[in-house]
């Protein structure tokens, strides 16, 4: 007893002489007892939800305090664990330290996950919440530590394999032969060193301890068609595209025809001006296009057989903005000849004559025609959407809805896009031309759509949280959707006979690079 008393006295004197406090000693917890807000007490809490997440960006255990609308929550991330479920067994406070006790369940179905636990706190002094510290007590598990996080791994993969992508790969953590491996799956990415087959899929396994790539598998899924920008496409014939060239310091624009039948390419026309549109005649034997030079534009017709060019002469104050084939021998030409006035003329290619079609006391910025029925878009300044209107000869104009990109599908149905006010996406609306009743609506994420038959629409939509796009086909008769797959461009179209998806985009890793056109077989696209 005397020895113990002597030791205590010596210990106390040492503290006084060294001017140290108990909190400064390395073997004691550093807790400010005098300023403690809470004594040892139990919390009242409610576990709102437990998620087993595979978002592996941060694998370290942590706790976040969230206060919103007079409610206080703690978000608990226990770290990387093999789990099939988690339970919060207790929460208590001792001297401003919130101790959170967690029990892990690990059955045969358990996977490597980052659990996320949301807990609503009740009867807590809000003024002192910011002073609290949090401590996770792992009752029956230890968080798994890895040396190479996913951000470092992806940076190394992109550098070593010379790939370029704006999208995030599918990622998983798996166990194999007592090792924890990053399983990485890239879809539709650019192979920087391969210009002829620019788009690939890439699968990898990377050791999370050493950072070593233990498996890689590259799939060559694409074929380069050409440089250029697609102007229009027709399921029966092919597509028209433009190419910009500079030779001897002279800039030219060329129109090219890609033939679906034999995959051949043919240069159709060369000009010093800009080409703003080009479309096939219904029989596929000729095209019409508009050539623009500054504020002046001229429509032309070219016979694809002998490449004979016919200039369409309009009155001097009539500037063509859009041209559509009405029949094999007639064109509908949209012109704006005065402020807030538009006119659609009908041009007869047999005798080179113009006749009046539709005059509107507003600006038409696009239209689609089927026989004598016209679906048009009236320009609305400072608005995301224009006014969609239907014109039937002898019946006048009828307002349909707000939107843009009007298209007549067949004699029964019309379609248009409606921009969402709070996002970059669109809703696709399909309505009955006779009853004006809306038949089908696909909401929120549509980027573009194209007709591939009189009963089918091919469309692309954005993929949430990713820069990839999803492509699908809508059948108007069955009203069923068919998934085509994931692609990396909103500008694309699908050729049914060959089951090829054609995409058009600029190479992301080359500054000021021209757009390229390439194809991917439908069977190579992943449908998820």
């Amino acid at each position: 007893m005397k020895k113990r008393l002597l030791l205590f006295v010596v210990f106390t004197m040492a503290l006084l002489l060294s001017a140290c406090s108990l909190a400064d000693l390395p073997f004691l917890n550093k807790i400010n007892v005098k300023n403690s807000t809470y004594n040892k007490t139990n919390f009242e809490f409610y576990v709102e939800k437990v998620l087993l997440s595979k978002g592996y960006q941060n694998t370290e255990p942590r706790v976040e305090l969230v206060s919103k609308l007079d409610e206080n929550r703690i978000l608990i991330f226990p770290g990387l664990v093999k789990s099939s479920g988690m339970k919060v067994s207790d929460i208590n406070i001792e001297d401003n330290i919130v101790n959170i006790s967690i029990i892990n369940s690990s059955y045969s179905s358990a996977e490597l996950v980052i659990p996320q636990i949301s807990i609503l706190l009740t009867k807590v002094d809000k003024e002192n919440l910011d002073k609290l510290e949090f401590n996770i007590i792992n009752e029956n598990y230890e968080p798994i530590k890895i040396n190479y996080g996913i951000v470092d791994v992806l940076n190394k993969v992109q550098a070593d394999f010379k790939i370029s992508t704006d999208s995030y790969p599918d990622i998983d953590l798996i166990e194999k032969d007592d090792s924890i491996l990053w399983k990485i799956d890239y879809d539709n990415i650019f192979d920087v060193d391969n210009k002829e087959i620019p788009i690939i899929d890439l699968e990898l396994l990377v050791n999370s301890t050493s950072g070593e790539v233990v498996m890689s598998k590259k799939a060559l899924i694409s074929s380069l068609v050409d440089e250029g920008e697609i102007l229009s496409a027709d399921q029966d014939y092919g597509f028209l595209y433009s190419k910009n060239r500079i030779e001897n310091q002279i800039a030219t624009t060329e129109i090219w025809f890609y033939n679906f039948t034999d995959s051949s390419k043919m240069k159709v026309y060369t000009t010093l001006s800009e080409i703003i549109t080009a479309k096939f005649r219904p029989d596929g034997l000729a095209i019409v296009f508009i050539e623009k030079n500054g504020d002046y534009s001229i429509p032309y017709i070219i016979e694809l057989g002998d490449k004979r060019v016919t200039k369409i002469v309009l009155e001097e104050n009539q500037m063509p903005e859009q041209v559509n084939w009405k029949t094999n021998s007639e064109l509908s030409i949209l012109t704006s000849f005065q402020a807030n006035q538009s006119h659609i003329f009908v041009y007869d290619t047999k005798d080179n004559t113009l006749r009046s079609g539709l005059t509107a006391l507003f600006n038409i910025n696009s239209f689609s025609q089927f026989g004598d029925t016209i679906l048009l878009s009236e320009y609305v300044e400072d608005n995301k959407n224009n006014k969609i209107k239907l014109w039937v000869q002898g019946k006048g104009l009828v307002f349909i809805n707000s939107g843009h990109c009007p298209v007549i599908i067949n004699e029964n149905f019309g379609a248009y896009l409606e921009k969402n006010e709070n996002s970059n996406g669109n809703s696709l609306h399909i309505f009955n031309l006779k009853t004006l009743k809306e038949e089908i609506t696909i909401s929120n994420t549509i980027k573009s759509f194209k007709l591939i038959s009189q009963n089918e629409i091919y469309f692309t939509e954005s993929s949430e949280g990713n820069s990839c796009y999803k492509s699908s086909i809508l059948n108007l008769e069955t009203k069923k959707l068919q998934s085509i797959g994931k692609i990396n461009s909103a500008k694309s179209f699908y050729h049914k006979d060959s089951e090829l998806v054609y995409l058009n985009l600029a190479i992301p890793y080359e500054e000021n690079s021209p757009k390229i056109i390439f194809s991917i077989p439908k069977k190579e696209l992943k449908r998820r």
Side-chain angles (χ1 to χ4, degrees):
M1 181 68 183
K2 290 181 179 180
K3 289 183 178 180
R4 290 180 182 176
L5 180 60
L6 179 61
L7 286 171
F8 177 77
V9 171
V10 172
F11 180 68
T12 305
M13 290 297 293
L15 285 176
L16 292 172
L17 291 172
S18 62
C20 289
S21 68
L22 287 172
D24 292 323
L25 293 178
F27 51 84
L28 294 177
N29 288 330
K30 296 183 180 181
I31 302 172
N32 191 336
V33 178
K34 291 183 180 180
N35 296 328
S36 176
T37 305
Y38 295 96
N39 293 319
K40 185 171 183 178
T41 180
N42 287 330
F43 248 176
E44 288 191 17
F45 64 92
Y46 169 68
V47 179
E48 294 181 305
K49 58 184 176 181
V50 178
L51 299 177
L52 301 181
S53 170
K54 290 197 172 186
Y56 298 115
Q57 284 80 2
N58 190 340
T59 61
E60 293 298 318
R62 66 192 190 280
V63 178
E64 297 176 4
L65 177 64
V66 179
S67 297
K68 187 177 181 181
L69 299 177
D70 295 328
E71 290 185 334
N72 301 291
R73 288 176 174 80
I74 51 176
L75 302 179
I76 305 169
F77 302 87
L80 178 64
V81 294
K82 189 172 184 180
S83 177
S84 52
M86 277 202 159
K87 175 184 176 182
V88 178
S89 61
D90 185 40
I91 299 179
N92 63 70
I93 301 179
E94 184 175 1
D95 297 322
N96 286 6
I97 304 294
V98 180
N99 296 301
I100 306 164
S101 299
I102 297 176
I103 298 174
N104 182 44
S105 298
S106 181
Y107 301 115
S108 58
S109 61
E111 296 182 285
L112 292 169
V113 294
I114 308 285
Q116 299 177 10
I117 305 171
S118 175
I119 296 177
L120 178 66
L121 304 179
T122 59
K123 295 185 179 180
V124 180
D125 188 347
K126 300 176 184 177
E127 295 181 358
N128 296 293
L129 276 175
D130 292 338
K131 300 178 182 178
L132 295 177
E133 297 179 12
F134 297 92
N135 178 38
I136 300 175
I137 300 174
N138 314 320
E139 293 199 6
N140 66 339
Y141 72 95
E142 283 295 328
I144 300 169
K145 294 188 178 296
I146 58 176
N147 295 336
Y148 287 84
I150 189 59
V151 175
D152 294 332
V153 168
L154 293 182
N155 288 337
K156 186 175 187 300
V157 165
Q158 291 199 31
D160 292 350
F161 285 82
K162 296 183 179 179
I163 59 174
S164 176
T165 177
D166 292 329
S167 63
Y168 204 72
D170 293 325
I171 294 170
D172 201 359
L173 266 177
I174 62 173
E175 290 182 294
K176 186 177 181 180
D177 300 330
D178 298 325
S179 296
I180 295 178
L181 305 176
W182 288 110
K183 185 177 184 296
I184 303 168
D185 190 357
Y186 282 103
D187 297 334
N188 301 334
I189 60 174
F190 281 91
D191 186 344
V192 174
D193 286 341
N194 194 339
K195 295 294 178 68
E196 293 301 316
I197 307 176
I199 304 298
I200 63 170
D201 287 346
L202 181 63
E203 297 178 22
L204 305 111
L205 291 177
V206 180
N207 190 298
S208 65
T209 301
S210 65
E212 177 189 0
V213 176
V214 298
M215 187 280 292
S216 66
K217 181 181 178 182
K218 182 189 293 187
L220 309 177
I221 65 171
S222 66
S223 297
L224 179 68
V225 175
D226 204 347
E227 292 182 358
E229 184 161 4
I230 295 174
L231 300 170
S232 66
D234 189 291
Q235 289 287 319
D236 294 327
Y237 311 120
F239 59 84
L240 301 168
Y241 62 103
S242 63
K243 295 173 68 172
N244 297 319
R245 294 187 181 277
I246 298 178
E247 293 184 6
N248 300 322
Q249 297 183 335
I250 298 175
T252 61
T253 302
E254 301 170 348
I255 299 177
W256 285 71
F257 165 42
Y258 179 83
N259 194 319
F260 284 148
T261 303
D262 57 8
S263 301
S264 62
K265 295 175 285 189
M266 178 179 71
K267 184 166 68 172
V268 177
Y269 184 75
T270 302
T271 178
L272 298 175
S273 302
E274 178 187 3
I275 302 297
I276 60 174
T277 184
K279 296 176 181 177
F280 287 101
R281 196 165 68 188
D283 62 9
L285 299 178
I287 67 170
V288 64
F289 66 93
I290 296 178
E291 182 178 294
K292 186 174 183 180
N293 189 349
D295 295 330
Y296 192 67
S297 56
I298 303 173
Y300 292 90
I301 297 172
I302 297 182
E303 300 290 335
L304 293 179
D306 58 12
K307 298 183 183 179
R308 177 167 48 90
V309 180
T310 301
K311 179 180 179 180
I312 300 174
V313 179
L314 303 176
E315 293 183 14
E316 186 176 350
N317 61 346
Q318 295 173 346
M319 290 295 105
E321 297 181 354
Q322 184 181 337
V323 58
N324 294 333
W325 288 98
K326 185 179 179 183
T327 66
N328 281 328
S329 60
E330 290 182 318
L331 288 164
S332 293
I333 303 173
L334 170 64
T335 67
S336 294
F337 54 90
Q338 290 184 30
N340 299 320
Q341 287 194 23
S342 297
H343 202 127
I344 297 177
F345 291 99
V346 177
Y347 177 80
D348 193 319
T349 62
K350 292 180 180 179
D351 55 15
N352 299 324
T353 58
L354 280 172
R355 70 176 187 270
S356 179
L358 168 66
T359 298
L361 299 179
F362 52 80
N363 289 327
I364 300 173
N365 65 348
S366 65
F367 77 100
S368 176
Q369 187 165 7
F370 190 94
D372 291 324
T373 300
I374 296 176
L375 187 64
L376 59 86
S377 171
E378 176 190 343
Y379 174 70
V380 179
E381 190 174 3
D382 298 327
N383 200 311
K384 281 191 172 184
N385 288 297
N386 298 314
K387 293 180 180 179
I388 303 297
K389 294 182 177 181
L390 180 67
W391 182 81
V392 180
Q393 193 169 32
K395 296 183 179 180
L397 281 166
V398 178
F399 173 73
I400 302 299
N401 197 3
S402 296
H404 62 106
C405 298
V407 173
I408 295 182
I409 301 169
N410 54 39
E411 61 181 349
N412 296 314
F413 295 105
Y416 60 92
L417 294 177
E418 181 184 10
K419 289 182 180 178
N420 300 313
E421 295 298 327
N422 300 319
S423 71
N424 293 323
N426 299 273
S427 298
L428 173 61
H429 298 267
I430 299 168
F431 70 100
N432 190 298
L433 291 171
K434 296 178 174 60
T435 65
L436 307 186
K437 177 184 175 183
E438 191 158 301
E439 300 285 345
I440 301 172
T441 301
I442 302 176
S443 297
N444 299 330
T445 58
I446 305 297
K447 303 300 289 186
S448 64
F449 75 100
K450 290 179 175 62
L451 303 184
I452 58 174
S453 75
Q454 288 198 351
N455 291 303
E456 292 173 301
I457 292 176
Y458 169 83
F459 65 90
T460 58
E461 56 185 320
S462 56
S463 180
E464 186 176 355
N466 211 323
S467 60
C468 280
Y469 301 90
K470 296 183 289 185
S471 58
S472 305
I473 292 176
L474 170 65
N475 188 299
L476 299 180
E477 291 182 344
T478 63
K479 297 185 179 180
K480 291 184 178 179
L481 288 174
Q482 175 193 356
S483 174
I484 299 300
K486 289 172 60 177
I487 57 177
N488 60 359
S489 174
K491 189 169 184 179
S492 67
F493 67 89
Y494 178 64
H495 184 231
K496 286 183 63 178
D497 291 346
S498 63
E499 294 192 329
L500 290 174
V501 176
Y502 289 87
L503 298 101
N504 194 191
L505 77 169
I507 299 174
Y509 53 86
E510 290 186 3
E511 190 175 356
N512 300 321
S513 68
K515 287 188 175 181
I516 61 171
I517 305 165
F518 56 92
S519 64
I520 301 178
K522 173 187 170 184
K523 64 181 180 181
E524 299 291 351
L525 295 175
K526 297 186 178 178
R527 295 166 182 79
R528 60 172 183 266

